[in-house]
Structures are given as C-alpha cells and as structure tokens.
Amino acid sequence: MTPMTVPTTMTTPVSSGGSWCVASQSASQTALQVALDYACGYGGADCAAIQPGGGCYNPNSVRNHASYAFNSYYQKNPVPSSCNFGGTAVTTNTDP
C-alpha cells in the first residue's frame, strides 16, 4: 500500500466539493447577533465550541461566532433555504 502524500503548500483556497454557510460580510452586527442567538437557541446548532474556553471561541467576534453557528445548523440541514438567517448568511464552496 502506497502512503498518501499531502501537499505542504497551497496558494489558493481549494473547494472540496462541499458547501458551507457563513455570515454575510454586509450583515450588521445587530442582525448577526439576533441570527446567532436563533441558531444557537431555537435552531439547535451545536455552539459549544464558540463558548468561552471552547476550541473555536477565538477569534472572539460576532461575525466569526455567527459563521460557526450558521454552518453548524446548515450541516445538519443541508438545503439552500437553511442558510439564510434573515439575510445575514451566504453559502460558499470554499472551506472557511
């Protein structure tokens, strides 16, 4: 069996054929906070990693935390309509 080699450098982001849901760059902080609260509450996203001390807490910003929560929700419900959050989220083919 030949060992698999992994490239050591990448100059551009590479799509793995997947789809992710991230916070829109044009969304306001207030709108992102409302959508984040929904995703982590009623939406049922797994937000443990973005709590203080969690592995994805830093960088500690509403936009980064919202992207994490939106994607958590989207991966559980992978249909285009599950990445909207009141217009604060967009899908991307580049792994964030």
Side-chain angles (χ1 to χ4, degrees):
M1 183 178 216
T2 306
M4 186 167 89
T5 58
V6 177
T8 56
T9 60
M10 289 186 180
T11 55
T12 58
V14 176
S15 170
S16 64
S19 182
W20 295 267
C21 182
V22 296
S24 168
Q25 290 300 315
S26 63
S28 73
Q29 294 289 304
T30 302
L32 285 172
Q33 186 64 60
V34 169
L36 172 60
D37 291 344
Y38 169 82
C40 292
Y42 183 79
D46 180 1
C47 295
I50 56 173
Q51 300 304 312
C56 295
Y57 180 72
N58 288 313
N60 179 16
S61 74
V62 172
R63 187 170 312 282
N64 285 318
H65 288 183
S67 286
Y68 183 93
F70 295 171
N71 193 57
S72 172
Y73 180 87
Y74 180 68
Q75 296 305 321
K76 290 180 182 178
N77 308 281
V79 294
S81 62
S82 71
C83 182
N84 185 306
F85 296 96
T88 63
V90 295
T91 55
T92 181
N93 292 325
T94 303
D95 186 346

